[in-house]
């Protein structure tokens, strides 16, 4: 028996080139972000629900404990500075900041250092890092100095997260470039 000869134009199957193609690699979900969110949730719960950092913050506000962040705040220029937060989730940040505002209000204003009416800057520049560092120290059961180093280093990002972030930035730039090149037609 012989098979009928079908021309390439009649065939429904695509023609294959001589060079082999790599099989599609299945991309597994990146679990690092989920693990960081879970760890950060424990930190937030320690600060807000368990009120674990209260005594530490009270001691700093009453000048019983030295604070690197308070020292930097007092020596910083009066204009607004940009701070890095350890927490990536906005709702977690909001919970901690709201709680720190309450702690700040509970302390007698005379006991506070020269805040000069800039309460929010004081909370973000001094109380926020102190609370997070103290919580990292307690939750991870590490020394305060090591927790401070971990806070300063920030969350560790996976290679995939960096690539995704870079791709998002490049996509935004492409869109901006396209908008600039093509004027709006009305």
């Amino acid at each position: 028996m012989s098979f009928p000869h079908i021309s390439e134009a009649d065939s429904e199957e695509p023609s294959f080139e001589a060079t082999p193609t790599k099989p599609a690699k299945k991309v597994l979900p990146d679990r690092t972000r989920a693990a960081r969110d879970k760890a950060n949730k424990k930190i937030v719960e320690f600060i807000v629900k368990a009120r674990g950092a209260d005594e530490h913050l009270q001691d700093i506000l009453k000048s019983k404990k030295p604070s690197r962040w308070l020292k930097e705040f007092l020596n910083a220029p009066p204009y607004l500075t940009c701070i890095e937060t350890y927490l990536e989730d906005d709702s977690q940040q909001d919970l901690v900041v709201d709680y720190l505002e309450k702690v700040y209000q509970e302390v007698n204003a005379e006991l506070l250092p020269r805040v000069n009416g800039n309460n929010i800057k004081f909370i973000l520049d001094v109380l926020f890092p102190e609370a997070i560092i103290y919580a990292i120290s307690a939750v991870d059961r590490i020394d305060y100095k090591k927790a401070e180093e971990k806070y300063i280093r920030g969350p560790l990002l996976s290679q995939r997260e960096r690539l995704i972030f870079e791709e998002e930035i490049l996509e935004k730039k492409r869109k901006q470039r396209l908008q600039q090149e093509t004027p709006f037609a009305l």
Side-chain angles (χ1 to χ4, degrees):
M1 287 185 142
S2 64
F3 290 103
H5 184 339
I6 302 175
S7 68
E8 285 186 43
D10 295 339
S11 71
E12 294 180 17
E13 295 180 356
S15 62
F16 294 102
E17 296 179 12
T19 58
T21 58
K22 293 182 181 179
K25 186 177 181 180
K26 184 175 181 179
V27 180
L28 297 174
D30 192 3
R31 306 266 188 234
T32 55
R33 174 69 190 250
R36 274 197 321 271
D37 284 343
K38 187 176 180 181
N40 289 347
K41 184 177 179 184
K42 289 180 183 178
I43 290 171
V44 171
E45 287 176 355
F46 177 82
I47 295 169
V48 178
K49 291 183 182 174
R51 299 181 65 106
D54 274 6
E55 187 176 326
H56 176 72
L57 295 173
Q58 298 274 338
D59 288 346
I60 288 171
L61 290 171
K62 295 176 183 177
S63 300
K64 292 181 180 178
K65 281 187 180 179
S67 169
R68 164 192 180 165
W69 308 99
L70 178 59
K71 188 176 181 180
E72 287 178 9
F73 175 81
L74 294 174
N75 295 328
Y79 52 84
L80 186 63
T81 58
C82 178
I83 63 163
E84 293 291 326
T85 60
Y86 188 81
L87 304 175
E88 297 171 285
D89 185 69
D90 290 340
S91 63
Q92 291 176 343
Q93 290 175 16
D94 291 340
L95 282 172
V96 173
V97 169
D98 290 344
Y99 176 74
L100 293 175
E101 285 177 339
K102 292 174 188 171
V103 170
Y104 177 82
Q105 291 171 354
E106 289 174 5
V107 176
N108 188 350
E110 297 171 5
L111 299 174
L112 297 175
R114 298 173 287 137
V115 177
N116 296 331
N118 201 346
N119 303 351
I120 298 299
K121 185 174 179 354
F122 180 79
I123 290 168
L124 292 176
D125 289 354
V126 179
L127 297 182
F128 191 86
E130 284 291 348
I132 297 294
I133 293 168
Y134 191 79
I136 291 171
S137 175
V139 170
D140 292 350
R141 294 185 176 100
I142 58 176
D143 178 67
Y144 184 84
K145 287 292 180 189
K146 289 181 182 177
E148 188 174 47
E149 290 171 10
K150 185 175 180 178
Y151 174 82
I152 291 170
R153 238 187 356 257
L156 299 175
L157 301 175
S158 68
Q159 186 67 25
R160 184 184 303 174
E161 285 178 302
R162 289 182 183 165
L163 289 173
I164 291 170
F165 182 70
E166 289 171 359
E167 288 173 6
E168 288 174 0
I169 291 173
L170 290 173
E171 184 64 29
K172 286 180 183 177
K173 286 186 176 185
R174 281 187 212 117
K175 287 181 180 178
Q176 287 176 349
R177 193 176 311 128
L178 285 174
Q179 287 177 350
Q180 290 174 354
E181 290 174 0
T182 55
F184 295 110
L186 297 176

